[in-house]
DNA sequence: GCGCTCTACTAGAGCGCTCTAGTCTGAGCA
DNA sequence: TGCTCAGACTAGAGCGCTCTAGTAGAGCGC
């Protein structure tokens, strides 16, 4: 309270020339609103108004403030802003860093979040870093809501998290927990893929499983249902797998070793499909002539000229948009019942599917 | 200062039962240090001492504070902590979200950062989100230092950034800017790969370029030098590429179209090597019988049973450690001259390399 | 002239922490 | 008894913002 506050314009010397040339001027503390205000000759509050884009400043003043800020290199401090407003305007996203589909999603989430004026913080789930830790970090940074991409965690843990912050799960459903879910219509997607194969004349269709991966349970179930309904219950075959390239390659070797290669394979995701494709091709089995192959996700790799994988595209942009919207909506009205957004898949027919060579192989 | 502060223990009801059962209790504000202090009957400052692990609290008090915090679900607020201490203890990492090598690095950085007591914030560089934006976000969150993975940006921009915060570049060098660099000995790595091929008897070695990708300039140069020194200047051939699978596949098609397939190909990274491998194999060219192939990076895909790519491994753990250390060291002494850490590569011989079928093909 | 509204701006109290400069207590010692 | 001193703890001033409540002055109708 005693005396005026001294701003850091170091006497009257222009802060541009000498100072800015030398590295790491962290000796000079980073400029604050106070500095901008002093330079323009207005109050701190008015600078705040300008930076929040709030009404209450004349266009001229606005321009002067912005220019002064630019000149001294001012940039609002997120921490202070968060603390003061008790709103961080940050969305936390947990992803698996090795997942190409997540990469696509993250990119789309950035775009969507920007539209609604939110910043995005990423936290990775990795071999050495569990969901709990990744989520903890986001929580500490006061994310207003969390978007979890394909979370593999317990209902209990999620129950705790959701007491502090809205959570959107992209993929897995958590019945009984107050979590919004955004997902692709897995059943419909699977049927699209199988209808396509069936339409080409395939009856001997094997499924390459995705283990505990997001969506695999639904895909597996839908496969079984479809086969049964077509009277192909005896042809049902589910190969173990886990959404990685190597599990696809293993599946190929297993089929080759057994000498019982089906006319078509429906893989639980693109990565395993590509692993399968690679291994089976090397063994001299031609795709699609000898075996048709359908993946799931439509990751960038699937589109490559030399892969041309027929697959079911998930609506990445749509999933991202729905996830961000769900988070924002729940922020606005926390007491809505949990909502599930189901997005339409789209079959993308490329080069790995064709009619079987002879009807009724096996 | 006008009466005691009222804490949020809502009368005397235990905060456990009813409240915690209903979703989104954001109506009750999140507990603060004040709440913990009130519950234990000590001052806020003492709770702070406990949570900072600072000396000055008796073991008994420490335990009581910790227990009380646990009971009411207290978790320190990063924003407030950052603001008060003007230290965020956060390292910002910029990565390209579609890059498998970056994924490996991020994982290692998490581990290393934890060892030195730092949190990690990720910000992605993507098609729709430039380096400038990704860095801006990290800056706003007050990261104490930035680690940029394979940054593709201008010296000017980096010059500005480095005035506010220490920057470590993993990969590219930025001469004239006060940036620490951590990188693999690209030249040595390239020579290892080429010595291996040369040792097997290859003379007709083509290079698949990496364009503007991290490290490609050095790899290209080292390739040219090596060939020249071996008197193979006339065999020098650099195919255009850009570190993606599709550029590898294109290169394969180009070679096939020209009918001039070398006995060996040294690719600028694993992704393009795998694209090449896939496309050339499909065309009936056998690897390694007809052509040997060496990649660069040793991404997880390279290890797969059906790929078995011979490649040069970058020391991911070492790069991550060096990057984190560089950041911490510079935080401690900002005026040190820029430092370059060069890590040793390691050739990993797998299944894609063998002696050429006949000496002197072409 | 008066009251009224509207725009442009300011004062100052927090937000939830950290951290310096204390105070208070009891043990140790002459 | 008085003194020092270490250990345990507290008071209170920030950190850089936001935001409510307020002021000053212009414009306007009557």
């Amino acid at each position: 309270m005693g005396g005026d506050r001294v701003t850091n314009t170091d006497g009257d010397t222009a802060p541009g020339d000498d100072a800015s040339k030398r590295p790491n001027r962290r000796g000079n503390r980073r400029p604050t609103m106070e500095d901008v205000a002093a330079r323009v000759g207005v109050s701190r509050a008015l600078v705040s108004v300008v930076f929040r884009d709030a009404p209450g400043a004349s266009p001229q003043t606005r321009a002067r403030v912005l220019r002064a800020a630019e000149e001294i290199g001012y940039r609002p401090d997120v921490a202070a802003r968060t603390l003061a407003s008790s709103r961080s305007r940050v969305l936390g996203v947990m992803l698996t860093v090795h997942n190409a589909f997540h990469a696509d999603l993250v990119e789309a989430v950035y775009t969507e979040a920007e539209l609604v004026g939110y910043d995005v913080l990423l936290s990775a789930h990795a071999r050495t870093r569990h969901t709990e830790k990744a989520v903890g970090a986001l929580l500490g940074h006061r994310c207003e809501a969390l978007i979890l991409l394909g979370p593999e965690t317990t209902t209990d843990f999620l129950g705790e998290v959701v007491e502090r912050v809205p959570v959107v799960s992209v993929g897995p459903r958590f019945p009984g927990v107050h979590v919004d879910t955004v997902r692709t219509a897995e059943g419909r997607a699977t049927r699209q893929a199988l209808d396509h194969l069936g339409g080409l004349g395939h009856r001997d269709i094997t499924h390459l499983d995705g283990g505990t991966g997001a969506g695999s349970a639904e895909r597996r179930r839908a496969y079984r249902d479809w086969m049964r309904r077509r009277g192909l219950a005896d042809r049902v075959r589910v190969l173990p797998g886990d959404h990685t390239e190597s599990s696809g390659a293993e599946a190929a070797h297993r089929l080759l070793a057994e000498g019982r290669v089906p006319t078509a394979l429906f893989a639980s995701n693109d990565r395993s499909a590509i692993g399968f494709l690679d291994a089976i091709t090397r063994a001299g089995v031609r795709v699609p002539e000898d075996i048709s192959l359908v993946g799931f996700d439509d990751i960038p790799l699937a589109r490559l000229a030399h892969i041309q994988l027929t697959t079911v595209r998930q609506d990445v942009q749509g999933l991202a948009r729905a996830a961000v919207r769900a988070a924002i909506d729940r922020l606005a009205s926390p007491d809505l019942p949990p909502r599930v957004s189901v997005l339409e898949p789209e079959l993308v027919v490329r080069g790995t599917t064709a009619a079987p060579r002879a009807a009724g192989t096996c």
Side-chain angles (χ1 to χ4, degrees), chain A:
Chain A
M1 269 247 172
D4 288 336
R5 177 117 169 248
V6 177
T7 60
N8 73 340
T9 38
D10 295 339
D12 281 348
T13 59
D17 283 334
D18 287 329
S20 70
K21 281 283 188 323
R22 61 183 164 73
N24 290 319
R25 57 158 146 179
R26 273 162 304 115
N28 321 4
R29 56 187 237 308
R30 79 186 252 169
T32 72
M33 262 188 186
E34 189 79 53
D35 302 323
V36 179
R39 198 178 173 93
V40 181
V42 296
S43 69
R44 224 174 57 250
L46 194 57
V47 178
S48 169
V49 162
V50 171
F51 272 91
R52 277 177 292 135
D53 243 337
S58 68
Q60 299 89 307
T61 310
R62 229 170 257 276
R64 282 167 58 219
V65 166
L66 258 15
R67 182 150 32 81
E70 168 89 342
E71 281 164 14
I72 64 175
Y74 169 74
R75 168 190 296 276
D77 182 319
V78 177
R81 190 169 250 195
T82 297
L83 192 56
S85 65
S86 42
R87 298 217 44 188
S88 62
R89 298 228 135 236
V90 170
L91 247 35
V93 175
M94 188 196 73
L95 73 159
T96 304
V97 82
H98 287 279
N99 189 316
F101 181 59
H102 286 187
D104 282 348
L105 275 170
V106 165
E107 192 159 350
V109 166
Y110 270 127
T111 312
E112 291 300 323
E114 193 159 345
L115 289 178
V116 294
Y118 271 73
D119 222 4
V120 173
L121 234 47
L122 260 34
S123 191
H125 162 214
R127 283 187 295 276
T128 56
R129 194 167 186 265
H130 297 297
T131 300
E132 288 68 17
K133 206 167 203 170
V135 167
L138 294 175
L139 246 32
H141 284 278
R142 271 215 189 189
C143 293
E144 291 186 24
L146 303 187
I147 295 176
L148 310 182
L149 307 184
E152 301 183 17
T153 184
T154 64
T155 303
D156 279 0
F157 174 72
L158 229 53
E160 277 173 40
V161 174
V162 88
E163 277 173 30
R164 353 195 109 257
V165 69
V167 174
V168 180
S169 165
V170 178
R173 277 174 293 183
F174 293 89
V177 186
H178 214 80
V179 164
D180 294 305
T181 310
V182 173
R183 59 188 196 85
T184 294
E186 307 283 354
R188 208 166 310 147
T190 302
R191 285 190 293 278
Q192 280 184 15
L194 295 172
D195 284 346
H196 168 61
L197 290 172
L200 290 169
H202 291 278
R203 293 167 58 74
D204 188 15
I205 306 172
T206 293
H207 177 50
L208 170 52
D209 194 33
T212 59
S216 4
E218 287 90 340
R219 296 171 201 172
R220 194 186 315 129
R221 196 178 321 122
Y223 160 77
R224 287 217 168 90
D225 285 355
W226 189 91
M227 293 293 275
R228 208 167 294 134
R229 244 178 246 144
R230 295 280 174 130
L232 301 171
D234 55 324
R235 303 283 179 91
V236 165
R237 180 152 193 223
V238 177
L239 298 171
D242 63 2
H243 282 182
T244 64
E245 287 85 358
S246 51
S247 79
E250 270 168 40
H253 294 135
R254 179 186 294 239
L255 290 182
L256 292 166
E258 294 177 1
R260 188 192 166 288
V261 177
T263 69
L265 184 100
F266 167 57
S268 190
N269 83 340
D270 282 353
R271 289 180 65 190
S272 62
I274 289 172
F276 180 88
L277 175 62
D278 199 83
I280 205 99
T281 308
R282 271 156 205 271
V285 177
R286 288 166 309 159
V287 177
E289 291 82 355
D290 302 325
I291 180 170
S292 284
L293 178 62
V294 182
F296 205 113
D297 282 349
D298 196 24
I299 62 175
L301 227 54
R303 288 160 225 166
L304 293 189
H306 61 291
I307 295 201
Q308 285 297 322
L309 182 67
T310 294
T311 186
V312 188
R313 173 181 301 158
Q314 298 204 53
D315 179 1
V316 170
Q317 203 69 41
L319 287 168
R321 180 174 305 135
V324 172
R325 295 279 155 86
I328 302 299
D329 288 355
R330 183 151 304 281
L331 245 18
S333 23
D335 292 324
L336 286 174
R339 200 169 55 176
V340 179
S341 307
V342 179
L343 277 100
E344 288 306 312
E346 182 192 353
L347 181 72
V348 185
V349 178
R350 296 207 181 87
T352 56
T353 46
R357 283 213 287 186
T361 318
C362 176

